[in-house]
Amino acid sequence: MRPYTPQDSVSVTAYDSVWATETRPAETQDAFERTMLSEDKLYVVLGVVLLIWFGILVMLFRNERKIAQLEKDVEGLGG
Amino acid sequence: MSKVKLTIKATIAVWMTAVVLGAFLLAIPKMPILEHTARNLYFHVPMWFTLMAALLVSAYQSGKYLRTGNIVHDIRAEQAAWVGVAFGVLGLVTGMLWARFTWYTGTGKWWNNDPKQLMAAVQLLIYGAYFVLRSGFDDERRRARLSGVYNLFAAATVPFLLYILPRQFTSLHPGADGNPAFDEITDPVMRLVLYPAFIGFIALFWWIYDQRVRLALVERALDEQADYAQPTA
């Protein structure tokens, strides 16, 4: 919702959300989007780096699981 | 672990740290719309080069298996494809995030059907089918032979899906129909980070691939030992 301004008239706002002489925010932005676009969009780069980091973590944890399984197998052999 | 491998891995760790530092600290020309997201070049693009390098290794190992019949090559082919696809998925999600907050701000669009995005998704599905195919066999030799042949066909689609086809359509990507090529729009200073990033991420692929191959070989050796220890038939 845009704030009420003196130019508003009920008849116009009822049909049209844009008052011709008024500047309206170009896009609706939620908090996440506002954060991502701040600092000249630097946080988009942070997001990309974090995604890759999480990807590497997933691979690490999968190796971890595999090692644990192999350790169990070794034990099963009595080794 | 051999000493040489350990030295290489330590070098990769230092190398990638330098790449990340360079990616954030080096000043780059400011472009409208792109702004700082131009730095994503250092991370998003190497994902795809790493995928292609990994798939090349995978196809090479499959070819070697088909010629020699040595199962180790089949294990290597599978692991290279697996780690490669993981990097491909990262390429896809990093691209989605980049586009969402750069060219599709205010629209909430995470998937924009860019030709390169679509073809890359198809490419990953083709390799997804490779793993599904592999899971369909109990016999190690049959699995290795048939999936090896499939892998060679899959590798043959890579240049078409990732290069030739996407360039025939309009796209956000450089070199596509009507877009300037990478060379014309990329500042020399960015190459100082980008090229080392290519090397670094491909080396990182090798690191993870090496670990997975060794784990798979140990697993196979243990299975064989278990078979000897408890003869079932």
Side-chain angles (χ1 to χ4, degrees):
Chain A
M1 275 303 278
R2 71 198 165 86
Y4 176 83
T5 57
Q7 303 134 302
D8 278 347
S9 80
V10 175
S11 62
V12 171
T13 50
Y15 297 105
D16 191 353
S17 60
V18 184
W19 179 246
T21 60
E22 191 186 39
T23 53
R24 198 178 86 110
E27 318 166 318
T28 50
Q29 295 183 338
D30 55 26
F32 182 37
E33 179 137 13
R34 275 198 305 276
T35 311
M36 291 303 272
L37 299 184
S38 61
E39 307 292 341
D40 295 336
K41 298 181 184 161
L42 187 59
Y43 291 118
V44 182
V45 189
L46 175 67
V48 161
V49 172
L50 282 180
L51 280 174
I52 294 171
W53 169 233
F54 293 150
I56 292 169
L57 281 181
V58 168
M59 290 190 252
L60 270 177
F61 275 111
R62 287 187 67 113
N63 283 356
E64 189 72 32
R65 211 171 57 187
K66 189 91 176 183
I67 291 168
Q69 179 213 320
L70 292 178
E71 282 167 344
K72 242 175 73 187
D73 290 354
V74 170
E75 244 171 71
L77 281 173
Chain B
M1 175 153 67
S2 80
K3 220 165 181 174
V4 180
K5 272 190 184 176
L6 195 61
T7 312
I8 296 173
K9 284 168 183 174
T11 311
I12 297 169
V14 175
W15 183 280
M16 279 310 295
T17 308
V19 166
V20 174
L21 285 176
F24 279 88
L25 297 180
L26 227 61
I28 57 168
K30 195 166 175 179
M31 312 267 281
I33 302 172
L34 268 177
E35 302 182 69
H36 275 314
T37 69
R39 296 177 193 275
N40 281 338
L41 184 79
Y42 307 138
F43 302 104
H44 170 71
V45 183
M47 293 299 110
W48 297 106
F49 276 67
T50 306
L51 170 79
M52 286 185 280
L55 298 183
L56 210 63
V57 170
S58 181
Y60 171 77
Q61 293 293 345
S62 274
K64 237 175 157 181
Y65 171 78
L66 292 172
R67 266 187 290 119
T68 64
N70 182 352
I71 202 77
V72 173
H73 294 305
D74 179 61
I75 289 172
R76 288 185 168 275
E78 183 192 10
Q79 299 309 332
W82 194 92
V83 183
V85 166
F87 275 96
V89 170
L90 289 177
L92 209 57
V93 292
T94 54
M96 284 166 73
L97 186 78
W98 190 359
R100 166 66 182 81
F101 292 109
T102 304
W103 297 278
Y104 290 91
T105 53
T107 65
K109 267 173 95 170
W110 287 91
W111 188 269
N112 55 62
N113 284 332
D114 185 277
K116 215 156 197 164
Q117 189 180 42
L118 274 177
M119 298 295 159
V122 170
Q123 186 75 80
L124 294 182
L125 289 177
I126 286 175
Y127 278 91
Y130 168 72
F131 299 112
V132 173
L133 176 69
R134 291 187 67 89
S135 68
F137 295 100
D138 284 329
D139 180 44
E140 186 180 73
R141 296 279 157 190
R142 270 174 68 85
R143 174 173 61 218
R145 201 170 61 246
L146 286 166
S147 69
V149 173
Y150 177 88
N151 195 11
L152 293 182
F153 278 109
T157 66
V158 174
F160 294 96
L161 286 171
L162 296 187
Y163 273 102
I164 298 170
L165 283 175
R167 291 188 172 220
Q168 314 306 315
F169 305 99
T170 49
S171 164
L172 286 173
H173 291 91
D177 184 38
N179 283 7
F182 169 83
D183 256 356
E184 299 161 33
I185 50 174
T186 307
D187 193 82
V189 75
M190 299 197 73
R191 288 156 209 248
L192 284 178
V193 180
L194 180 64
Y195 296 151
F198 284 149
I199 298 168
F201 276 110
I202 290 171
L204 204 58
F205 149 75
W206 169 78
W207 186 339
I208 300 165
Y209 159 73
D210 177 68
Q211 285 188 344
R212 286 185 62 93
V213 167
R214 282 157 57 206
L215 284 170
L217 289 175
V218 171
E219 184 182 32
R220 189 168 180 279
L222 282 174
D223 280 351
E224 281 191 335
Q225 249 184 302
D227 286 346
Y228 287 126
Q230 302 155 322
T232 45

